[in-house]
Each structure stands twice: as structure tokens, then as C-alpha cells.
Amino acid sequence: MSEILEKPEVQKIYIDARGPRFSASFTAIFLATALVTHNVWVLVAQGLVFLIGATRGPQFTPYGLLFKNLIKPRLKKEAPTEDVRPPKFAQSVGFGFALVGTIGAFAGADIVFTVATAFALAAAFLNAAFNYCLGCEMYLLLVRFRSK
């Protein structure tokens, strides 16, 4: 993956690779809650978390800070790291789904809310359960496509 992302002029920021998976667990819980209760405010709150992750990085979200301060110090293994750009892109995709779902809910289009929230939930679940970041893979495909 790193050979695809190599650009000498860009400063690389690496994060603990376990953090996004931990965060995805909380994201999945909140998105499932929003979907089951049809509570748009839960989706708005999660959308704000996505916005923080997309603009500043997933390590600055509330879940990322929780991982950094409470969970990571208790882990004994050496931390695997990953480039922050794919998880940031994944957060921006999540923000897009949350935004579409929120607009749909406020516009009275319940199906838009349901579908957008369900798509975001599916991606969060894949990351939490199987350590497969769909947004990260999309980022890598876009980088490969752009470099050709």
C-alpha cells in the first residue's frame, strides 16, 4: 500500500492501525441506534464525528481520543501503523452518507435517511467486525486510477 501513496512533497502522518477499528465499533453502535430508533439527531452527532475525522484525522475524533488515552496504554503489543490518508478519506465518505441521511430526514424522505444510514452502518460494521475498511480501499483505488 505504501508504494501507491508515496509522494515526496507530502508529510506522512501515521496512526495506530487498531484505532480506526476501535472507532468503527462505536460508529456501528451509534449508526445502528440511529437506524433502529429513526433518530436523526444521533445521525447528526455521528456526522459531526465523521467531520472531525475527515478534516483533522480519525485520531482526533472522540472515539480516537478514547482509544489513545484509555485503550492504547493497556495494550502490550507493538502498535502497527498506517498512513492516515485512507482513514481520513473513509471518514469523509461517512460524513457524506450522514449528510445525505440527515437532509433526507429533514426533507421527509425517510427512505433516504434509512438507506444512507444503512450504507454507513454496513461500512462501519465491515471495519469493526472484519478489519476491512471499505472507504480506505476506495481511496487506494482512486489513487491507483489517478496515477495511471
Side-chain angles (χ1 to χ4, degrees):
M1 173 169 78
S2 61
E3 62 274 355
I4 296 169
L5 301 175
E6 293 297 323
K7 282 191 178 179
E9 69 276 358
V10 177
Q11 180 188 6
K12 296 179 196 166
I13 299 172
Y14 290 94
I15 58 173
D16 187 327
R18 301 169 294 189
R21 186 174 188 185
F22 174 82
S23 297
S25 301
F26 281 99
T27 300
I29 291 168
F30 283 106
L31 289 172
T33 301
L35 195 59
V36 169
T37 63
H38 201 76
N39 187 332
V40 68
W41 297 110
V42 175
L43 184 60
V44 168
Q46 182 58 51
L48 291 174
V49 172
F50 282 140
L51 183 61
I52 294 167
T55 56
R56 299 218 39 224
Q59 69 273 30
F60 295 107
T61 65
Y63 316 142
L65 294 173
L66 183 67
F67 175 79
K68 178 184 170 188
N69 295 316
L70 295 178
I71 304 300
K72 187 176 178 179
R74 290 168 173 76
L75 298 175
K76 298 188 192 267
K77 280 186 161 180
E78 180 96 11
T81 59
E82 68 177 325
D83 189 296
V84 75
R85 290 175 289 176
K88 273 182 85 169
F89 179 80
Q91 293 286 304
S92 65
V93 172
F95 175 71
F97 278 113
L99 185 63
V100 168
T102 301
I103 291 169
F106 286 128
D110 292 340
I111 191 70
V112 173
F113 171 86
T114 302
V115 169
T117 306
F119 279 5
L121 173 59
F125 178 77
L126 280 173
N127 196 354
F130 303 109
N131 200 24
Y132 185 80
C133 178
L134 195 57
C136 300
E137 295 300 325
M138 287 172 47
Y139 176 83
L140 294 174
L141 285 173
L142 288 171
V143 168
R144 283 185 191 127
F145 180 74
R146 202 174 68 195
S147 68
K148 289 186 179 186

